[in-house]
Amino acid sequence: MKLCVALDLPSAKENLSLANQIKDYDVWLKVGFRSYIRDGKEFLENLKKINPNFKIFLDLKLYDIPNTMADAAEEICKLDVDMFNVHASSGKIAMRTVMNRVKNIKNRPLVLAVTALTSFENNDFKEIYGQDILSKATQFAKDSFESGLDGVVCSAFESFEIKENTNKNFITLTPGIRPFGEDAGDQKRVANIDLAQTNLVNFIVVGRPIYTSKTPAIIVKNILEKLN
Ligand code: C5P
């Protein structure tokens, strides 16, 4: 299981300082809306300057008509990133169009699909999607698998069921991880590392428990120790 650290701080300077503090650890970095909208491509380049071995997950959650998503995916593949994502609710046609566009690109990034955001609890989710989280997230995962994607974003609670219904090598990446009982914030389906491990999660994403800590490098070290 890999640790992916969310770089969601209010400035590039703070994110780069965090990356510097954890540069000797074997971690992935997650660059999401806040950082990419503000700091763009140059920020990604600056992260790789700190440590060229950092793997970067560009978390932009594409959702649009198929051709627009494929155009965006193709542009993402020109950036030096190792993973990006789309929404599974964009549908199988959109996901297939994306994969057809990127599948022959040399060293293409991994492509994941968001199933049910970890900030949803079942009732709110059902109001929008008309189904319980576990069954709909599993269905989204099957759609993504059949469309040729590499994996999904889900919560640790759905990971096992998703693997059973797709393939054990189909990647699950789970935000909403609170390693040492930290505050959940806006996350609803919060899990700890043990549960993620039991449910065969491949990547855990941790943001606030690390970047709001006064000693982020120590938190990262403690998490990595639990992963080994
Ligand atoms: O601070 P926290 O650990 O809750 O951060 C989780 C990160 O994962 C945030 O950057 C959030 O945007 C992202 N994320 C999520 N749920 C998803 C996909 C991404 O929380 N389904």
Side-chain angles (χ1 to χ4, degrees):
M1 196 158 78
K2 291 275 176 201
L3 169 64
C4 187
V5 180
L7 300 179
D8 290 334
L9 282 157
S11 69
K13 198 174 157 208
E14 288 159 280
N15 279 326
L16 291 169
S17 157
L18 172 59
N20 243 308
Q21 292 173 64
I22 59 175
K23 69 171 185 294
D24 296 326
Y25 294 109
D26 179 19
V27 291
W28 282 59
L29 303 176
K30 187 179 86 66
V31 176
F33 288 150
R34 186 180 206 181
S35 301
Y36 195 71
I37 288 169
R38 189 185 54 219
D39 306 317
K41 190 174 171 221
E42 197 189 336
F43 177 60
L44 302 176
E45 290 162 359
N46 286 333
L47 290 173
K48 291 274 182 174
K49 277 184 201 155
I50 292 173
N51 180 351
N53 296 322
F54 271 145
K55 300 269 191 198
I56 298 178
F57 167 30
L58 188 62
D59 179 19
L60 297 182
K61 302 183 181 71
L62 304 182
Y63 183 100
D64 211 309
I65 58 172
N67 186 61
T68 303
M69 283 177 61
D71 287 344
E74 199 178 335
E75 295 302 333
I76 289 173
C77 291
K78 295 176 192 165
L79 304 169
D80 193 4
V81 300
D82 305 281
M83 180 153 72
F84 70 94
N85 57 355
V86 304
H87 269 284
S89 58
S90 62
K92 284 168 95 168
I93 295 174
M95 290 195 282
R96 279 201 195 116
T97 309
V98 166
M99 294 317 290
N100 282 337
R101 191 76 74 83
V102 305
K103 70 179 179 209
N104 294 323
I105 297 175
K106 200 170 160 245
N107 297 327
R108 70 160 175 84
L110 295 169
V111 187
L112 306 188
V114 178
T115 57
L117 294 169
T118 39
S119 54
F120 275 123
E121 53 90 14
N122 206 44
N123 284 340
D124 295 340
F125 183 85
K126 219 169 165 177
E127 235 176 73
I128 302 170
Y129 296 93
Q131 235 173 297
D132 288 328
I133 289 177
L134 184 60
S135 64
K136 190 68 192 173
T138 305
Q139 182 59 53
F140 276 148
K142 281 194 213 164
D143 294 346
S144 315
F145 181 66
E146 285 161 15
S147 306
L149 275 79
D150 303 296
V152 287
V153 183
C154 57
S155 89
F157 300 96
E158 295 96 42
S159 173
F160 191 82
E161 182 95 358
I162 284 173
K163 299 238 180 204
E164 293 248 286
N165 281 278
T166 55
N167 182 297
K168 69 174 180 357
N169 297 322
F170 195 56
I171 295 168
T172 56
L173 174 143
T174 65
I177 299 295
R178 295 294 179 263
F180 307 109
E182 298 91 340
D183 182 35
D186 58 348
Q187 300 283 20
K188 292 283 167 21
R189 300 189 333 282
V190 164
N192 60 23
I193 295 171
D194 290 342
L195 188 103
Q197 264 165 340
T198 304
N199 288 338
L200 310 179
V201 167
N202 299 98
F203 290 87
I204 52 167
V205 176
V206 184
R208 284 163 286 189
I210 293 172
Y211 69 71
T212 63
S213 158
K214 287 195 174 71
T215 53
I218 293 175
I219 306 284
V220 166
K221 182 170 170 280
N222 291 344
I223 294 173
L224 292 177
E225 273 168 12
K226 283 212 79 173
L227 300 190
N228 293 326

